[in-house]
Amino acid sequence: MTRMTGWDKFILTLIIIGALNWGLIGFFRYDLVAAIFGGQLTAVSRIIYALVGLSGLWALSLLFRRTREHREVRGV
């Protein structure tokens, strides 16, 4: 199994933020990112949306990473 890097954990955090925001939009029609940063069209909100989208693209690479098997070799 491959280990997650710090970058992977950061990306995963952004994906979770995006998923929670989409859940709020879907269930309650409430956009938390827009509410925090002053609307959907503000520069900060658009940057957050763009980072979440890029994070989703990066997460696609997780599907295709090879797993490493660590086998302990014992000498005789």
Side-chain angles (χ1 to χ4, degrees):
M1 175 183 248
T2 59
R3 298 190 76 191
M4 289 184 68
T5 64
W7 181 252
D8 291 335
K9 290 177 183 179
F10 174 71
I11 296 295
L12 182 60
T13 302
L14 286 176
I15 293 170
I16 291 168
I17 290 169
L20 292 173
N21 194 54
W22 274 109
L24 287 171
I25 292 169
F27 288 115
F28 305 111
R29 292 186 177 182
Y30 183 73
D31 188 343
L32 183 62
V33 173
I36 291 173
F37 297 109
Q40 290 181 338
L41 299 179
T42 63
V44 177
S45 292
R46 292 184 64 202
I47 290 169
I48 299 292
Y49 297 140
L51 288 174
V52 168
L54 290 173
S55 297
L57 292 175
W58 180 266
L60 287 173
S61 73
L62 297 175
L63 292 174
F64 301 105
R65 289 187 188 176
R66 290 188 172 191
T67 58
R68 297 182 204 155
E69 292 183 24
H70 296 285
R71 294 182 181 163
E72 187 175 322
V73 179
R74 295 182 178 169
V76 178

